[in-house]
Amino acid sequence: MATVLITGANRGIGLELARQYAAAGWDVIACCRKPKEAGDLKALTGKVEVKTLDVAKPASIAKLTAALKWRGIDVLLNNAGILGRRVGFGKAETKEFLAVMQVNALGPLLMAESFWPLVKKSKQKKMVAITSGMGSIASGANGGSYAYRSSKAALNMVMKNLGNDLSAKGILTAAISPGWVKTDMGGKSAPLAVQDSAAGIIQVIGGLDAAKSGGFFNYNGDTIPW
């Protein structure tokens, strides 16, 4: 059976992705910073391995890569992300801005650079990142959330570049927006259930091919403008 590695799998969309992939019979490598506190994740049924991973720490990425070096990973699913404070113009803070960029944009790039040999040896050979429509410049940003919006726009470029650089290795990439989802990050007023978002994401990943590689998609399969 195929294997998926999911970052940020202890809650929200990441947890639901792990749940649905496990229910479909996949081998799931579910990663989070503090497995001891991930009760909901450890309670999942199926072939789920919970691993320690902090995508903001290169040493943590390297350690996990070494531990899994004999495995093939069909889908490397970069889901871990942070929101940061939703502040407007005049309130930017360097430390916070860089922390958001580190996790949301640089983290997936470092994961790709470290894990690509494991992805290459698999059958499906896919790298996917959970992004946001807030990272679409063409859709018209309406102000505020500078760190988060910038990090997701950067992540989109990372995934587009990876699609070009890894195509010769047969690896497919995509940036997928989960929509506005009712999670801790999305808030209670979000219209989309996490189960529906995750199911859509999995379907988009399943349909990813060479013609779509490097694209920016909504969870329902629609293409989002850059």
Side-chain angles (χ1 to χ4, degrees):
M1 179 53 70
T3 297
V4 58
L5 186 152
I6 304 171
T7 67
N10 57 307
R11 63 178 182 173
I13 296 169
L15 177 62
E16 186 59 29
L17 286 166
R19 187 194 317 277
Q20 292 193 23
Y21 269 115
W26 283 55
D27 291 332
V28 179
I29 302 171
C31 306
C32 61
R33 291 184 298 118
K34 299 177 180 179
K36 290 183 179 180
E37 300 176 12
D40 291 339
L41 179 57
K42 291 189 289 186
L44 294 182
T45 58
K47 298 178 180 179
V48 180
E49 305 171 55
V50 180
K51 299 291 187 180
T52 301
L53 175 67
D54 186 340
V55 300
K57 297 179 178 179
S60 179
I61 295 174
K63 183 177 180 179
L64 182 62
T65 305
L68 300 173
K69 64 182 179 180
W70 304 114
R71 305 279 292 272
I73 296 176
D74 292 271
V75 177
L76 179 64
L77 213 172
N78 290 290
N79 167 75
I82 58 176
L83 181 61
R85 295 182 306 124
R86 293 185 175 182
V87 298
F89 179 75
K91 297 181 179 180
E93 295 181 355
T94 299
K95 184 176 180 180
E96 180 182 49
F97 193 101
L98 294 178
V100 174
M101 292 292 289
Q102 173 89 30
V103 174
N104 293 359
L106 181 57
L109 174 57
L110 295 180
M111 286 290 294
E113 290 186 339
S114 189
F115 277 91
W116 75 261
L118 285 70
V119 175
K120 186 177 184 295
K121 70 173 64 173
S122 73
K123 182 178 180 180
Q124 295 195 28
K125 300 179 177 61
K126 296 177 180 179
M127 289 186 183
V128 175
I130 301 303
T131 183
S132 171
M134 291 175 71
S136 169
I137 296 173
S139 292
N142 56 9
S145 299
Y146 281 87
Y148 186 74
R149 290 182 187 277
S150 298
S151 73
K152 291 302 185 178
L155 174 59
N156 292 345
M157 179 59 80
V158 165
M159 299 312 294
K160 179 64 175 178
N161 268 5
L162 289 175
N164 293 328
D165 290 341
L166 299 177
S167 62
K169 303 182 188 301
I171 295 175
L172 308 176
T173 73
I176 304 176
S177 170
W180 185 13
V181 188
K182 195 171 295 183
T183 61
D184 289 344
M185 184 179 288
K188 295 181 179 179
S189 60
L192 185 61
V194 66
Q195 295 87 351
D196 295 332
S197 174
I201 291 168
I202 291 172
Q203 186 170 1
V204 173
I205 294 172
L208 183 62
D209 57 22
K212 297 177 181 177
S213 185
F216 180 14
F217 305 101
N218 198 15
Y219 76 97
N220 62 4
D222 292 344
T223 298
I224 299 176
W226 297 107

